[in-house]
Amino acid sequence: MAIVELTNICKDYQQGKEPVRVLKNVNLTVEKGEYLAIMGPSGSGKTTLMNIIGCLDVPTSGSYTLDGQDLRDLDDDAMADVRNKHLGFVFQSFHLMPRLNALDNVALPLLYGGVSLKERRERAAEALKAVGLEDRMDFFPNQLSGGQCQRVAIARAMVGKPDLLLADEPTGALDTKAGNQIMDIFRQLSNEGMTIIMITHEPGIAACADKTYHILDGELRTDGNLVKMGGGEDEED
Amino acid sequence: MIENIRLAFQGIWSHKMRSVLTMLGIIIGIAAIITIVSTIQGTNEQIKENLIGAGNNVVTVNLNQSGYSYDMSWNPIPSGVRTITEETRQELEQIDGVEKVSLYNSRNYVNMVYYLNAEYQGEIYGIDSNYLSVYGYQVKQGRGFTQRDYDQFRKVLLVDTNVVKNLFGGESPVGKNMEIQSEVFTIVGVVALSEEFAPTINSLSDYHMYANTSSGCIYMPITTWPTAYQFDEPQNVAIKVKDTDTMTQAGKAAADLLTDKQIQDPDNSEFDYRSQDMLEQAQKLQSMSKSTNTQLIWIASISLLVGGIGVMNIMLVSVTERTSEIGLKKAIGAKKKRILLQFLTESAVLTSLGGLIGVISGVILAQVISNIMQIPVSISGVAILVAVVFSTLIGVIFGMLPAYKAANLNPIEALRRD
Ligand SMILES: Nc1ncnc2c1ncn2[C@@H]1O[C@H](COP(=O)(O)OP(=O)(O)O)[C@@H](O)[C@H]1O
Ligand SMILES: [Mg+2]
């Protein structure tokens, strides 16, 4: 069963006077349990695609169904809810709250989900344990290494038991050793049945996934082949 | 919410210097207002206390001629004015808010009054048996007037402590004789304001007495008055009221009643009775001090406004600084309202704290002013409450724009900045 279904997604950005098409008729289907890497050079539109899949941005045209739900007409708060309940995010630069300790950082999404304090604490502790940081729960981000910060971020992404984990260059700010540790965690999550979409420009990291798609100049290809199910690239919707 | 407040305090604490500077406008504004209000209130209470006295509230009602108090020292018995009867006195006691009514005759300027060769230059009163209790006097030495003194028109006197000091050099005057209008009177007692009213001033004449360090007051039974002066002098009326709130009203009612009863042809007479209470005068003084201070409060309010704008400015900076934090929160599911509330809480906590510090500084400042300038201050709980609530409100109002900006940040824009 498909969890993500993008059909003819286009995204334009206004750059100066001219609108620039950053995503060009992207079609993508991700099945439940898949572990997918999307590779591409800098500026190819990876993050833009990720933001659309992550319900952080809306496409200029095309349709997006997440877990069977069409997301076209949702307002900001409904989108926030979708992100909170169904999605987990891992960013290149961790984005931890500097004034919260590891446990509170991890518990944050549960706060927005309306979970009680006691349960928040329990589940956050559990999630931290799953990434091997049970002894760092009351450390603040500035007391943790980059790899540890990213593991806290993964715990935060996983604490709400999402349907889909989205990672935008999760190892981009880490050394190889820490990066590999992150990849081990992703592998384990995948083995446990989590659907993962990971964005990277490093082939070595992409190789950790089950499947790699390439994006170039806003066009998504699978294993070197241009994926083009819709119309031509100049067509407007 | 509690979490928000806790985080707000953390935020303020982590930028101590900046927070204090931001709060400064609020602190100064609130401190100024608290200081001003405390001093106004203190001054007003002192005026009121000095002029009225606690619990000893007396209105005097006097005969006026063409709007001026009719003084028997210089004038003959006025024609067409009756003396006040016991029945009328009792009627006056029936007026709402009136507790006790005393009738008395008086001379504010006397001559031909001697102790030995020394001429006395104070006031003389012919008083009824209510007079001392109406004014809160107590007999300190000797005795007061008895029924017999009244019935037998005895030539006995009470004197106050000023007379003792000025005329008798501080020695006990009891038993000594004085000569009034060639009649010999014997002093039987010394009166003074009873302790609880001691430093307060209870009537206009008291006020003048204290202000001029008058030579004092001498009292004789009202029945004896004609022996020294003359029959059928219209009396003055002193009314003790139950509380100060209805004082002016009761005085006016009494004056109207007397004008109606005592003046033969009230419509065509140049005479009437008018009441005089200290509350009225106190209020005049108070409103004077109030109006000057209202201007000061306006100035302080401008400082609050400027403080509010400062808070808005710093909150805008804070929103910009925390763009990525806001973006992340939104990414993981925080709704607009939550972000809005977080920033509103932060600015409200900031200004409330400023308000609180302002209140404390204001109270301290008021005490210092009170000590230096010898004016009383009265710190009002209501003013403090209003100040704190008001400063919180400033935070909410001026935090609105930054909070709105934060709530509407686009999360991808916010996350893009690293
Ligand atoms: N908000 C924006 N406004 C204008 N142009 C944008 C915006 N976001 C991204 N772009 C442009 O879209 C292209 C793709 O960006 P992005 O998706 O971030 O690339 P990647 O993540 O693959 O490096 C870039 O050329 C970038 O300049
Ligand atoms: Mg990118």
Side-chain angles (χ1 to χ4, degrees), chain A residues 13-15 20 22-23 40-49 51 168-169 199 215, chain B residues 412-413 416:
Chain A
Y13 276 124
Q14 204 76 29
Q15 275 176 343
V20 172
V22 176
L23 291 180
S42 181
S44 55
K46 301 186 297 292
T47 300
T48 308
L49 178 60
N51 286 341
D168 190 351
E169 314 242 14
I199 279 169
I215 188 167
Chain B
I412 54 167
E413 289 301 320
R416 192 179 292 279

Side-chain angles (χ1 to χ4, degrees), chain A residues 51 57 83-84 93 97 112, chain B residues 325 330 332 338 412 418:
Chain A
N51 286 341
D57 203 355
R83 293 195 294 269
N84 186 256
S93 52
M97 298 288 138
Y112 302 148
Chain B
E325 174 190 324
K330 295 189 98 174
I332 63 175
R338 181 179 289 274
I412 54 167
D418 283 327

Side-chain angles (χ1 to χ4, degrees), chain B residues 59 61 92 95 98 101 237 239 248-260 273 275:
Chain B
V59 195
V61 183
L92 289 171
I95 292 173
V98 171
V101 174
V237 181
I239 299 171
T248 306
Q249 212 183 322
K252 297 257 186 290
D256 287 349
L257 188 142
L258 286 171
T259 303
D260 222 36
Y273 279 88
S275 60

